[in-house]
Amino acid sequence: EAGVAQSPRYKIIEKRQSVAFWCNPISGHATLYWYQQILGQGPKLLIQFQNNGVVDDSQLPKDRFSAERLKGVDSTLKIQPAKLEDSAVYLCASSLIQGRNTEAFFGQGTRLTVV
Amino acid sequence: AQRVTQPEKLLSVFKGAPVELKCNYSYSGSPELFWYVQYSRQRLQLLLRHISRESIKGFTADLNKGETSFHLKKPFAQEEDSAMYYCALGAGGYQKVTFGTGTKLQVIP
């Protein structure tokens, strides 16, 4: 079974520039998550999709971050404009079903450096 | 609000010694607890979940609702156990998963 795919693996941009990350979840997985992991911290949930609908985006800085999941499959996360504090690893994860004790499968992550 | 606390950033033990990684949580409802592990240069992956009550790679974790804890234990540490360990709490109908800050386990040969 292919895992969660993310691209790019690394990205360096200047502050105030924009950037986009792409995620392809495991086939058939209805739930998709984007997490932000700042160095030394645990992953923080930014947004959670169920199929192509958003079920939680309470921690997404909506003035600069946006995400979409077209046709309930692939997803993109965009930052515009980027700030220095956005430097982090952005993790995408997916799970087969929504509900109790569902295992989330993670991608390798995209390491973003804002200079 | 849900919260997960892992008080130790780094835990160093000798090979063959017992291991206990601490995790405390805060949640008013019925929690779902998980331990995820990240080995060097690998992706984050599920180690075990409380409802399964299983032992994975010799690790076990018991949910203690009275103490709101879900500590991860292993009687004899192995070098290959060296990794980052994250405790996570799933809550709500949509299973919003909140992670702790992680503990780096270093097993000394």
Side-chain angles (χ1 to χ4, degrees), chain A residues 24-107:
Chain A
N24 180 229
I26 293 172
S27 178
H29 281 198
T31 306
L32 186 146
Y33 313 80
W34 281 104
Y35 285 86
Q36 179 192 58
Q37 186 172 20
I38 293 172
L39 187 64
Q41 300 181 19
K44 181 181 89 171
L45 180 67
L46 293 177
I47 189 166
Q48 180 176 342
F49 292 92
Q50 183 68 19
N51 296 308
N52 60 348
V54 175
V55 299
D56 192 304
D57 62 357
S58 56
Q59 298 189 95
L60 186 73
K62 298 180 186 61
D63 58 333
R64 299 184 301 106
F65 286 64
S66 64
E68 60 182 5
R69 189 181 184 195
L70 299 175
K71 301 180 182 178
V73 182
D74 292 6
S75 178
T76 56
L77 176 70
K78 297 179 181 177
I79 308 175
Q80 181 180 12
K83 293 185 176 182
L84 295 176
E85 59 261 36
D86 297 332
S87 294
V89 176
Y90 290 84
L91 298 169
C92 180
S94 68
S95 62
L96 181 58
I97 56 173
Q98 164 199 311
R100 297 169 74 80
N101 278 286
T102 301
E103 176 179 359
F105 293 83
F106 283 82

Side-chain angles (χ1 to χ4, degrees), chain B residues 83-100:
Chain B
M84 280 295 295
Y85 290 82
Y86 294 94
C87 183
L89 167 67
Y94 291 107
Q95 272 284 289
K96 178 178 177 179
V97 180
T98 300
F99 284 83

